[in-house]
Amino acid sequence: MLLALGVTGPAAAAATSSSAPTGLYSGMGTCPLASTQLQDPDNGEVGCVVATIAGGSMTIGSVTVPLTSVLTAKFGIYWPQNGPTVTFPDGNTASIFDTVAPTDGDELISAPLDVPIADLPNFFPGVTSAIVQVQLAGPITGFTPLADGENYPLFQLPLKFHLLNVFLGADCYVGSAADPILLQPTAGTTAPPAPNTPITGNPGTVALNTDPNGYSDFIVGFSGATLVDNSFSVPAASGCGLGGSLDWLVDLLFGLGSAAGHNSASLTGVDTSLAVDSSISDLTSAIQASE
């Protein structure tokens, strides 16, 4: 559908500005429009994405970590002509986009979380609790926006948790680039290994908008979605304490490593803005005109 929407448009000139994009393009100021990937003339579609996750939680074994602060993801996307697609049981087909990190490198922005330690009163954050920083363990991949509502992942999100506590040192992690916590959230229904059972997300609402200045791109808004995954595994801790001497304690307290079928994630209040075009020059001009 997005491919059909973005094939024509005017060659209107846009004024350049040093201010940030506004309106439908809000938050897209760091979209990597000048990157080699988005500038490739063989692309069929290019775009910019800004997504926010308002809340939710992750459960690792018997420990639940509430997501109490907003997470923001920003990246560019591109789909080569005749690129990869997925066909769903209902006959609909969706393009699978590759992603490019934003110009500031902040593909995922999150505030630290204060996670209590089981059976220990939390009266001194960072001492009687662990401060957890959610970080990317690799690039976001497999972005499939038209899978919204299907039983298929909207993207793949490799994560690692940086645990900060006065006793754990500065290099305590759960997950890594080599062994990430790989979320594949869907707005549809999951198919997890036992003992987990299927859970269902919510696609929220979808709005299609045309560019207010007459450019050919379309801006798609997904709002109020709930994305779920309960098929991922969580590795054991590493680097905790001097020479990893406290890895075993972190594993014991938080139930790590935890095999697939024993963990779940629910991402709530997910809002996504996607601007997509068949022309990188047209998309660039549209974003500049909104500044």
Side-chain angles (χ1 to χ4, degrees):
M1 180 177 70
L2 291 180
L3 298 179
L5 291 173
V7 295
T8 60
T16 60
S17 169
S18 59
S19 60
T22 60
L24 295 172
Y25 302 98
S26 180
M28 297 184 184
T30 59
C31 186
L33 297 166
S35 65
T36 301
Q37 297 94 323
L38 267 64
Q39 290 285 332
D40 192 329
D42 291 332
N43 284 331
E45 292 290 329
V46 292
C48 303
V49 178
V50 177
T52 57
I53 300 168
S57 63
M58 290 187 65
T59 298
I60 301 170
S62 60
V63 177
T64 297
V65 179
L67 302 177
T68 54
S69 61
V70 174
L71 281 74
T72 301
K74 301 179 297 178
F75 48 89
I77 58 172
Y78 65 99
W79 185 82
Q81 297 183 44
N82 301 314
T85 61
V86 58
T87 300
F88 304 114
D90 58 13
N92 289 326
T93 298
S95 301
I96 303 174
F97 288 83
D98 287 311
T99 67
V100 184
T103 55
D104 61 4
D106 290 333
E107 194 169 359
L108 182 68
I109 302 171
S110 66
L113 304 171
D114 183 19
V115 179
I117 296 173
D119 301 323
L120 187 64
N122 184 18
F123 59 86
F124 197 159
V127 177
T128 55
S129 67
I131 304 301
V132 177
Q133 181 73 59
V134 180
Q135 300 175 346
L136 280 179
I140 297 169
T141 59
F143 182 64
T144 313
L146 293 187
D148 191 44
E150 303 280 356
N151 301 333
Y152 190 86
L154 286 165
F155 49 84
Q156 296 188 29
L157 183 66
L159 297 176
K160 59 184 178 181
F161 295 160
H162 189 186
L163 275 61
L164 300 170
N165 179 281
V166 293
F167 303 109
L168 300 179
D171 299 311
C172 182
Y173 283 89
V174 177
S176 65
D179 191 12
I181 303 166
L182 184 61
L183 297 188
Q184 301 182 79
T186 178
T189 300
T190 64
N196 279 354
T197 57
I199 54 177
T200 301
N202 185 332
T205 58
V206 181
L208 291 177
N209 297 283
T210 56
D211 179 79
N213 295 306
Y215 292 98
S216 65
D217 61 306
F218 272 74
I219 304 90
V220 187
F222 303 88
S223 60
T226 296
L227 308 182
V228 293
D229 183 9
N230 61 347
S231 300
F232 60 95
S233 61
V234 180
S238 63
C240 304
L242 184 62
S245 59
L246 294 179
D247 290 350
W248 67 273
L249 180 59
V250 174
D251 292 343
L252 178 65
L253 292 173
F254 293 99
L256 307 173
S258 186
H262 296 270
N263 316 296
S264 66
S266 176
L267 311 177
T268 61
V270 181
D271 295 341
T272 304
S273 294
L274 162 64
V276 65
D277 202 310
S278 61
S279 165
I280 184 61
S281 61
D282 201 70
L283 177 62
T284 301
S285 295
I287 292 177
Q288 289 176 343
S290 74
E291 295 176 347

